[in-house]
Amino acid sequence: MDSSGDFLTGVIEGFYGRPWSFATRAAYAGYLARAGLNTYLYCPKADPYLRRRWREPWPDETREQMCALGTTLAAAGLQWGVGLSPFELYLDYGPRERDALQRKIEELGSLEAPLLAVLFDDMPGDVADLARRQGDIVADIRHWLPHTRLLVCPTYYSFDPVLERHFGSMPRGYWQELGRSLPAEVDIFWTGNEVCAASIRSNDVGRIAGLLGRSVMLWDNYPVNDGAVRSRFLYTRPLEARDPALRPYLSGHLCNPMNQALLSLPALAGLATLYDAPGLDDDVLGQILGEDVWQRLRQDGPAFQEQGLDGLGPQRCAKLADIYAGMAGQAAAEVAGWLRGEYRFDSACLTD
């Protein structure tokens, strides 16, 4: 891992559905630092002021919470930032829209976060000059925030055909043109050959790096579980099937966690060890999750990940939910809530 911190490793909170609390996000500063990870990006789809209502400023309470979170993350030595999804802005980027974007960027810039993600994912993309339009938007943001590291998520962020089924046909030469349109120092996100890739190999990433003309920032959709299918499972196995030979093609590797924050930590431990960081061993996970919860989760975890709610069946789910509800702490509550169906699928999430 780069000691300079230029190579980003950590969490991108970019899922649909129930968001984490600010107390949980603040606690993550310590968890990530202890694991040897260095990055936290705040991009929950549930924050309307970063997506559908991006033109509006955050409420005062949210802004105060973001400032406090930034202070906590920075004190832990983490790179941090937010992700702005200026919904469908590229369809009509005239003077009025440009002024609205500048006001939003000034608001986000006042946080003095070292990172800003500009996210064009999960929006219509069948626009002939899509890459140029998005490049113009990013160029303006680069001008307004010259010292902030920018990360961009393309509309087509994987080779997965599901994206074109949901968001329209990708313009010819989109990736090549986007690579030419964005400044060389801007990071571009990529999820692998699939939106939720079971494995990611160096050849997979080398192909897109060649098309974009730069290393990519891996947005790894493991252990995220916000889709119609994936919400029926808990992914507590450490991140696996990621080729160590990926490193030369990457500018960083960030994982999109589950709606269940503490239950995501075992998976994130695998991200840390992939890059020779300390990770979180069983003793540390026991301290964080609760010794009894972690011991029980090690027993039940394979069934949660491989059988899911449907495979377990209603009776077993109810019995297990009662067991976990009798244990103390947030991690136990997350398991019990999942078993009881409290983390329902958000229909806005179209890509599983």
Side-chain angles (χ1 to χ4, degrees):
M1 184 184 302
D2 290 359
S3 60
S4 65
D6 290 341
F7 189 81
L8 305 183
T9 57
V11 164
I12 179 164
E13 184 192 344
F15 50 78
Y16 288 88
R18 183 193 300 189
W20 294 354
S21 69
F22 274 97
T24 294
R25 294 174 181 127
Y28 247 75
Y31 305 151
L32 294 177
R34 193 167 185 177
L37 300 170
N38 64 18
T39 303
Y40 189 104
L41 272 176
Y42 169 89
C43 319
K45 297 293 195 295
D47 187 332
Y49 301 99
L50 294 177
R51 195 161 173 81
R52 293 276 185 174
R53 296 169 62 184
W54 66 267
R55 293 171 177 82
E56 303 174 40
W58 274 319
D60 290 344
E61 180 182 7
T62 304
R63 177 171 177 75
E64 291 171 3
Q65 290 172 317
M66 282 303 307
C67 289
L69 176 62
T71 299
T72 300
L73 293 167
L78 301 180
Q79 299 282 322
W80 71 281
V82 302
L84 174 65
S85 299
F87 200 77
E88 298 183 359
L89 175 63
Y90 51 80
L91 298 181
D92 182 17
Y93 189 52
R96 180 179 299 177
E97 291 74 21
R98 186 176 185 272
D99 289 344
L101 180 63
Q102 184 173 8
R103 288 193 296 272
K104 189 66 177 186
I105 294 303
E106 289 173 352
E107 176 193 15
L108 298 179
S110 67
L111 295 174
E112 298 184 350
L115 307 175
L116 176 66
V118 184
L119 310 176
F120 298 117
D121 58 308
D122 297 357
M123 305 179 199
D126 52 351
V127 179
D129 56 348
L130 179 66
R132 181 194 60 78
R133 292 177 182 225
Q134 293 175 344
D136 289 344
I137 292 170
V138 175
D140 281 337
I141 296 173
R142 170 82 294 165
H143 175 71
W144 297 325
L145 292 178
H147 305 299
T148 301
R149 182 170 178 176
L150 299 183
L151 308 91
V152 172
C153 186
T155 303
Y156 301 93
Y157 47 84
S158 170
F159 293 126
D160 197 329
V162 70
L163 296 176
E164 290 193 278
R165 289 201 296 271
H166 284 302
F167 306 115
S169 298
M170 183 177 66
R172 183 183 296 273
Y174 171 70
W175 289 313
Q176 297 93 323
E177 181 60 29
L178 187 67
R180 290 191 294 267
S181 298
L182 297 179
E185 72 275 11
V186 172
D187 295 293
I188 301 179
F189 281 117
W190 189 252
T191 67
N193 287 352
E194 299 172 301
V195 172
C196 296
S199 65
I200 304 177
R201 303 299 178 188
S202 57
N203 288 344
D204 306 334
V205 179
R207 179 183 170 197
I208 188 60
L211 292 171
L212 293 168
R214 70 187 72 200
S215 301
V216 296
M217 179 71 62
L218 199 58
W219 176 317
D220 198 326
N221 276 321
Y222 183 86
V224 71
N225 65 343
D226 56 355
V229 175
R230 293 179 70 86
S231 62
R232 310 294 292 173
F233 298 85
L234 286 180
Y235 299 96
T236 58
R237 189 176 296 141
L239 179 71
E240 59 187 2
R242 271 48 177 171
D243 188 351
L246 284 169
R247 176 64 183 86
Y249 300 102
L250 302 180
S251 57
H253 188 159
L254 306 179
C255 281
N256 193 9
M258 295 189 289
N259 296 95
Q260 299 82 13
L262 291 192
L263 302 184
S264 298
L265 289 172
L268 295 173
L271 173 65
T273 56
L274 178 64
Y275 296 102
D276 299 320
L280 302 169
D281 62 22
D282 285 338
D283 289 340
V284 173
L285 287 170
Q287 294 169 19
I288 297 172
L289 304 182
E291 294 291 350
D292 57 341
V293 178
W294 178 228
Q295 182 177 355
R296 182 78 203 202
L297 191 59
R298 292 171 69 186
Q299 173 185 327
D300 298 328
F304 294 164
Q305 181 148 348
E306 296 162 13
Q307 298 178 38
L309 296 176
D310 299 326
L312 290 168
Q315 291 184 339
R316 189 176 177 196
C317 284
K319 181 178 179 180
L320 287 167
D322 289 342
I323 292 173
Y324 282 95
M327 300 178 179
Q330 179 181 333
E334 288 178 355
V335 180
W338 174 76
L339 287 163
R340 291 170 174 165
E342 295 174 8
Y343 292 89
R344 293 180 176 84
F345 165 61
D346 184 340
S347 60
C349 181
L350 299 176
T351 52
D352 202 278

